[in-house]
Structure formats: C-alpha cells, structure tokens
Amino acid sequence: MSEWVLPEGWGEAVVTDIAGFVRGVTFKKAEAIAYPEVGYVPIIRANNIQNSKLILDDLVYAPEDKVSDSQRIKAGDVVVAMSSGSRKVVGKTASANKDWEGAFGAFCGVFRPSKHMSSSYFGYYFGTQEYRAKASSLAAGANINNLKASHFDQILVPIPGLEEQKDIADKLDDLLAQVNNLKARLDAIPAILKRFRQSVLAAAVSGRLTAEWRVGKDLDPVTVKPNEKLPVVGESDYYGASIETWRWLRFGSVVRLVNGDRGRNYPNKSDYVEHGMPFINTGHIEPDGTLSLARMNYISQDKYESLGGGKTQPGDLVYCLRGATMGKTARVDFEVGAIASSLVIVRPGACIVRKFAYYYLISPVAEKMIKKYDNGSAQPNLSAKSLASYSLQLPPIEEQSEIVRRVDQLFALADQIEQQVKNAQARVDKLTQSILAKAFRGELTAEWRAANPELISGENSAEALLKRIKAEKARQKPAGRGRGKKPAYAGQSA
C-alpha cells in the first residue's frame, strides 16, 4: 500500500499497470553527431531533463534507422532519467506537452500513459516528493545509479476517476502556474541585487555616494608621492569627473604589490599537508571577499620558510591575475600564509583604507581596467605592473572611511534582502510539494466530488477505470523493439 491517505472511491495502481514503457535508443558513440543533419534524429539525454522540463539544447543526433516509431516522443510521455552517476539525477522526469520528432537515449526511458488516463494528471505525479523518494531508494549500482522498468512495479499512483483526474490537472495547471510565476520573480532578484551592488560601487569610487556629505567639509587631499616608475595619469585615464579634494594617481603609488614565489621551491600538490601554513589560490576566494578556510590548502612550515616571496600579512588583499576569474579579490585576515602564482598580494599603504582599496578592485571601474590592460592572449592575463598602472582617483582618508561605512551599510541591506529571498524560495519549493500532496490526497477536489457524485460513480468510478485499463493491457501484446512496433500503450497523440 502507498503512504497516501486516499478519499473514498479512489484506487491505486503501480506505474507499469497504467502506462507502457519504451526503452531508449541505443547507438554507438561513433555513430552520433552533434549537429542537425538529414537522416539523423535529435536525442534527449538525462542532462536535458531539468526542473521537470525537457531542455532542447545540447542534443546529440543518431542515425534515423536506429530509432523506432515508438521511440519518438509523444504528447503526454513522461521521460525518465533511468541511469546516472548521480543519485540526484537518476529518476528525474519531464513531461512532453506535444509530439516531438526527436527521441531519447539509452540512459532514459519513457512511460506512456494509457488512453484511459489523463496524461497531465499522470505527469504531475512524477513531481511529487513521494515519487522522488521512492525512485531514489530503488536506484542502485556499484559505480552508477540505475532504475529498471521493473522498479516501477513498486511505485504506486493514486487513481481517481478520469473526470476527477482532469479537474485535478486543471487545478494544478492554475496553482502551479501562479507558484512558478512567483518563483520566477524571486529568481530574478539576485541579479537585481548584483546590479545594485555594482551601482553602489560605481557611485563609491566616482564620488557620487558622498557628494552631499562633502559639502561644507574642509578636507585635505592625501599626501602621497606618485610612483615615478609608472606613467603620469592624464585626462584620457579619467573614469569620472575630477573632484577638488581627490587626487588622480596610479594604483601602484598607494599600494605595494608582491608576486608569489615562482622558483624551484614553488609548492606542488604533493607538498600539501593537512595542517600548516595557508597556501592561497583563486578557488579559495569567496563571493563576499573572504577566504574559505574549509577549502584552503596548507603547506608545511619548512616549505613556507623556503619560499622567497609571496608571503601574506594581516591586512593584505589578494588579487587574481589570470584566467576566467581574473579580478577576483579577497581580504587576508589570518596571521601568515602564501599565495599561488596566479595571485598577487596587494598591500595598502598608509594613504589608502584597505576596504576602500578592496571596493575599488571589485568595482565596475576596475573591471574596465582589466579589459584595458589584459594582454589579449587566448589565456586572459595581467601582471603586477598592469595592476599598478590602474588609474585611481583617491579621496581624503576621512572620506574613504565614510565611503566604506556607506558601502558596508548598503551591502548589508542587500545581503539581508538576499537571505529573505532564499528563505522565500525555500518556502515556495515547499509550497509546490504541498500543493501536489493535496492534489494526490484528493484535497483539491473535495468540493468537486461533493458537487459531482455522478462523475465519480458507476462507469466514471476509479474502479471502472482501472478495469478498462486492465482489459486494454490484456488485449495488447508486449512491446517489440523493432522499427515501427508499438509499446504496451500507444498513448495519445496531440
């Protein structure tokens, strides 16, 4: 028996009693191509099943003579990921809402509901937590998780009469559309908050964030000697309007840059130890500018002392010089450590507040500097000298501190909103499951049943429906695997 508490008059049946199973297309890897071509059929794979939908991207194409007519996807089909290296992937499903000329690969299968069933009702069942938990428990394998068609002999589906199935499906269409609309709105907020943070940073380093605060204040520009090894900042280097009390400088005039040791003592993975001195690389940089100790690599005290450079101090920043993560920045808050060669240490001088330097390096202004100074090779790459050449309009120390305070305050607000969004997303996910559970317990249609007794009794009852499905199955032969042969249930075509 299932765990569902069912209304009076409902029945239940295993998946394989109410739907035919169609195996996926088998072909050799060398026979497939990655682009559309006459004589080839697009093939769905497990990675094309996402969030209960079929994503028709990144397809492979198999020779047409490998695909039987029954393996072409029909409206109402439920495509199942039958085999995967991940327990989270195996058992994932997506319902087809229309006929499609494509098919599905051998790691997938299709359940095609009886013509006596509502295909929408049948498809919604596979979104329930009960189905996912059961499918996960049935999947097994030494190196890969597998489901077999016979496993679905153990998965029970609550069965009301056909008219009630249709009413449930209609109600789920409406309710879940509202939930999905709400989810889409929530999912859009993190991108909005990201743009907000970038706008705050742009206003911070351009002086707009503290424009009113400056009025009436007697502020002295910073006193700093420009680095004579770097070019003088000209108007072509300006990224905003000049402010009277701010000074245009090269970034290398206000910070010291320290490269990592790239000599023969450079640590290899074989030098990593469980506990020791932190050895920082780009992968340790968190989105909030901290360094992950949970993912940190460590080297021994002897290896650390053998390094000729690249040793961090409290108060340093680290900045990524290479690859897709170029420009990632973090604050160093532990006593000692060393950096990988893909990073450079940024050590702020007395005339620049560390967190102001950090906010400058993650601002849209610094992103433009990256594009300006990137060497343009196939592998994006900067040097410490490039970073030193970034143009910077530096506020007075007092104003730097005020800018940091305001950015911190606004970022804390954004973080708070982001957490509220995450909490709301979790509640929405639970809401979807709650609605589905109510549907398959008959709670969504309690009033409908009371108002339509004639549609849940006699020939319209669940009992009569299951008898018709059983009779239909008895009349049909088991599915063949040859081209053009039909599965146990041909299903309904749109």
Side-chain angles (χ1 to χ4, degrees):
M1 296 293 290
S2 72
E3 297 180 1
W4 304 98
V5 179
L6 304 179
E8 184 179 355
W10 280 36
E12 54 187 1
V14 296
V15 172
T16 48
D17 277 348
I18 56 176
F21 180 71
V22 186
R23 298 183 186 279
V25 179
T26 57
F27 52 89
K28 295 179 181 178
K29 186 176 181 180
E31 295 175 317
I33 58 176
Y35 50 86
E37 184 66 80
V38 174
Y40 285 79
V41 176
I43 302 293
I44 289 288
R45 293 173 292 175
N47 63 293
N48 297 110
I49 302 173
Q50 297 178 24
N51 299 318
S52 300
K53 295 180 180 179
L54 291 176
I55 307 300
L56 303 181
D57 296 327
D58 189 26
L59 300 171
V60 296
Y61 297 80
E64 193 171 21
D65 61 7
K66 298 290 182 179
V67 182
S68 71
D69 291 342
S70 66
Q71 289 171 320
R72 294 179 186 267
I73 291 176
K74 308 288 195 297
D77 282 355
V78 174
V79 185
V80 185
M82 302 294 287
S83 184
S84 171
S86 169
R87 182 66 63 90
K88 293 181 179 179
V89 173
V90 69
K92 284 200 312 181
T93 68
S95 297
N97 55 20
K98 62 182 179 180
D99 288 359
W100 185 57
E101 280 303 303
F104 47 98
F107 284 2
C108 294
V110 152
F111 280 101
R112 189 162 291 159
S114 163
K115 64 184 180 182
H116 299 293
M117 289 284 297
S118 161
S119 58
S120 294
Y121 175 88
F122 179 75
Y124 273 128
Y125 168 76
F126 292 90
T128 64
Q129 186 61 43
E130 285 73 12
Y131 162 73
R132 286 296 301 156
K134 187 65 174 177
S136 181
S137 70
L138 291 170
N143 298 312
I144 194 165
N145 299 292
N146 297 286
L147 281 172
K148 300 176 182 178
S150 59
H151 285 139
F152 289 80
D153 295 340
Q154 303 175 54
I155 299 178
L156 281 164
V157 183
I159 306 292
L162 180 59
E163 294 305 317
E164 189 168 359
Q165 288 182 34
K166 292 177 180 177
D167 193 70
I168 289 171
D170 288 344
K171 285 182 167 64
L172 287 175
D173 286 346
D174 292 340
L175 290 170
L176 295 184
Q178 294 177 47
V179 172
N180 289 336
N181 183 52
L182 176 59
K183 189 175 186 300
R185 290 171 181 250
L186 289 171
D187 290 347
I189 293 175
I192 295 171
L193 290 174
K194 182 178 180 180
R195 291 196 295 272
F196 169 75
R197 292 186 180 98
Q198 288 298 296
S199 295
V200 168
L201 291 171
V205 300
S206 67
R208 297 194 305 275
L209 191 61
T210 45
E212 293 182 5
W213 178 88
R214 278 196 302 275
V215 175
K217 288 187 170 58
D218 186 17
L219 301 172
D220 294 324
V222 293
T223 301
V224 58
K225 182 180 179 181
N227 187 331
E228 295 179 354
K229 296 180 180 179
L230 298 171
V232 175
V233 179
E235 289 189 10
S236 61
D237 300 304
Y238 292 0
Y239 50 76
S242 295
I243 301 169
E244 185 178 356
T245 54
W246 292 33
R247 287 196 62 184
W248 285 105
L249 298 159
R250 296 291 177 184
F251 190 58
S253 296
V254 295
V255 300
R256 181 187 172 201
L257 302 177
V258 183
N259 283 312
D261 186 330
R262 300 174 186 177
R264 60 186 178 86
N265 290 326
Y266 185 81
N268 296 309
K269 287 185 179 180
S270 59
D271 294 313
Y272 293 170
V273 295
E274 189 172 348
H275 302 289
M277 304 298 189
F279 185 64
I280 308 164
N281 65 41
T282 309
H284 303 140
I285 299 177
E286 299 283 21
D288 64 355
T290 58
L291 290 167
S292 170
L293 293 179
R295 298 195 305 275
M296 185 61 62
N297 298 322
Y298 296 92
I299 56 177
S300 68
Q301 178 79 34
D302 288 345
K303 173 58 70 171
Y304 172 79
E305 290 178 356
S306 74
L307 298 177
K311 297 178 180 180
T312 63
Q313 298 175 5
D316 285 347
L317 304 171
V318 291
Y319 185 85
C320 182
L321 295 173
R322 298 196 194 101
T325 56
M326 193 161 59
K328 282 183 70 175
T329 310
R331 304 179 296 277
V332 179
D333 293 321
F334 40 72
E335 288 300 316
V336 292
I339 59 168
S341 60
S342 58
L343 298 174
V344 65
I345 295 169
V346 179
R347 189 160 292 156
C351 61
I352 187 168
V353 174
R354 178 176 78 143
K355 211 163 187 185
F356 179 82
Y358 167 72
Y359 284 141
Y360 167 78
L361 288 174
I362 64 170
S363 73
V365 164
E367 288 183 8
K368 291 180 180 177
M369 299 286 177
I370 289 173
K371 294 177 182 178
K372 179 178 179 179
Y373 288 100
D374 177 14
N375 64 15
S377 66
Q379 170 75 2
N381 186 56
L382 292 171
S383 65
K385 186 175 181 180
S386 301
L387 177 58
S389 299
Y390 286 10
S391 56
L392 166 70
Q393 189 174 198
L394 188 67
I397 286 286
E398 185 181 354
E399 189 166 358
Q400 290 181 46
S401 298
E402 178 62 17
I403 288 169
V404 167
R405 186 190 70 80
R406 293 188 177 207
V407 174
D408 283 348
Q409 188 177 54
L410 291 169
F411 276 22
L413 175 62
D415 291 343
Q416 184 180 14
I417 294 171
E418 198 161 51
Q419 186 57 55
Q420 291 172 345
V421 169
K422 289 179 181 178
N423 294 340
Q425 288 172 322
R427 290 194 295 270
V428 167
D429 290 341
K430 290 180 180 179
L431 179 60
T432 297
Q433 285 304 315
S434 176
I435 290 170
L436 287 169
K438 287 178 181 291
F440 287 92
R441 290 196 301 258
E443 294 176 20
L444 293 185
T445 45
E447 293 183 4
W448 181 92
R449 286 195 301 277
N452 298 280
E454 73 284 358
L455 296 179
I456 61 173
S457 59
E459 285 301 304
N460 292 319
S461 68
E463 182 181 9
L465 173 68
L466 289 170
K467 285 181 179 179
R468 286 194 292 273
I469 293 174
K470 185 176 181 180
E472 175 194 26
K473 186 174 183 180
R475 290 192 301 269
Q476 294 175 328
K477 296 179 180 180
R481 296 188 65 182
R483 179 169 173 79
K485 293 184 180 181
K486 295 182 178 179
Y489 288 112
Q492 304 171 35
S493 296

